[in-house]
Amino acid sequence: MRVLMLAQFYPPVIGGEERHVFSLSEALVARGHQVAVATMPHPDRAPVEYLNGVTVHSLQGSMQRASALFSEEERPHVPPFPDPELTFRLSRLVSKFKPDVVHGHNWMIHQYLPLKLANKAKLVSTLHDYSFTCSIKTLLHNGDYCSGPGVAKCLSCAGAHFGPVKGQITAAAHFVTKPLLHRGVDNFIAVSHAVAEKSGLVDGSTPYSVIPTFIPDDLGSPPASIDPRLRQLPPDGYLLFVGDLNRHKGVHILLQAYARLEQAPPLVLIGRRTPGTPDELPPNVFLFESWPHHAVMHAWRRCLFGLAPSTFIEPCGTIVMEANVVGKTMIAANHGGLAELVEHGRSGLHVVPGDVDSLAETMRMLIDSPDLRRRLEEGALARAESFKARSVVPKIETIYGSPNKVRQPGGGAARVAHVSHQS
């Protein structure tokens, strides 16, 4: 098949979503498909590059020319509505590549919707977060759980998050284009049952599947070279957090819980600094910013266990897969995609989200119980097999190759294929 990926960002810009698109594209090429990626330009990438069998096309849009709209130069997000210039450039690529499947990831799919009627390609959309329901993608309102979308509430929330003008345009466009997505997409893929439920797919009319993200088959193999950054790590046996260093990821809860522990191993934080990153750290805490992935994987190998105390409902949790594939167990918040990936008592332990006492007590127990750690590590390593590309990519191929299902009128329940790592 000829598969066209639509992704806002692609390496060298990297994050959980970007790594998934990168890994999926390369895995599909390895399985004999032709894959092209349409993405935003990057100063370190040519307009067209051929990377490991994947042709990457950098397409310029009008919105991206207004650099003042974006807080990060490397992440000029596409809007939740068609950008005329970007859609035009995408149409030229579609005409040339002639895809059998167009696979959209987040808001980049809006740039293709005006082209859908003129093309016979099947349109698949992976929801990596809550952007189908929430214009700020987190399901948080005033720092707390949101009860659901509402015009006035969403306009206010997006305005506070993005700024008054940009936020209100984003939220308004989000309400207008959501029905168009429902009609245009042939199959949704949600990265967790939490995302499927919170995005309204469960009661919708569009067929969907739940397929979490995955890791490359060889990710568990030690990298050939040793990154010099690793010399900064404390001795092996530290506790490890990997992710954006903000309150949503529970960093403030983690630091409070760690400060209560006596004679605990060092705590290592690796991630991207954000406006919510703490300025002061407790003793014996090490913070390293934005390490390359191969260095992070080395860090996983050398830790005692990992920590994912997210206070918001995490959509998935690739860090769980990365820890498990090298035989490390995780302590994770008991909600969202994290709870679905971590089997409590078998591959890791759950804690109450946002509860400092729960996290501190569980950390203390796992530090002091080597037998429990070994048992959970065995379960984590066994579970990692279901996270690998060879287990997951065939499920996505099945969606690509299946005929478009007839939707039930009146918004009735769609025929759904629930697929998880347990299956």
Side-chain angles (χ1 to χ4, degrees), residues 11 19 26-27 53-54 96 119 130 135 190 200 222 240 249 305 394 408:
R19 187 163 298 285
E26 292 198 346
V54 179
K96 182 178 180 180
N119 294 280
Y130 306 107
S135 56
L240 181 59
K249 296 289 186 178
F305 56 81
Q408 295 187 8

Side-chain angles (χ1 to χ4, degrees), residues 68-69 71 135-136 154-171:
L69 291 174
S71 58
S135 56
I136 66 171
C154 291
L155 288 172
S156 171
C157 191
H161 184 80
F162 295 115
V165 176
K166 180 181 172 183
Q168 294 198 15
I169 291 174
T170 299

Side-chain angles (χ1 to χ4, degrees), residues 346-365:
R346 297 186 63 183
S347 67
L349 297 174
H350 292 165
V351 292
V352 178
D355 189 320
V356 176
D357 291 336
S358 173
L359 181 56
E361 291 168 5
T362 306
M363 290 166 66
R364 181 82 272 169
M365 177 176 66

Side-chain angles (χ1 to χ4, degrees), residues 362-374:
T362 306
M363 290 166 66
R364 181 82 272 169
M365 177 176 66
L366 202 52
I367 291 169
D368 295 342
S369 306
D371 290 341
L372 174 60
R373 283 202 312 273
R374 280 192 292 270

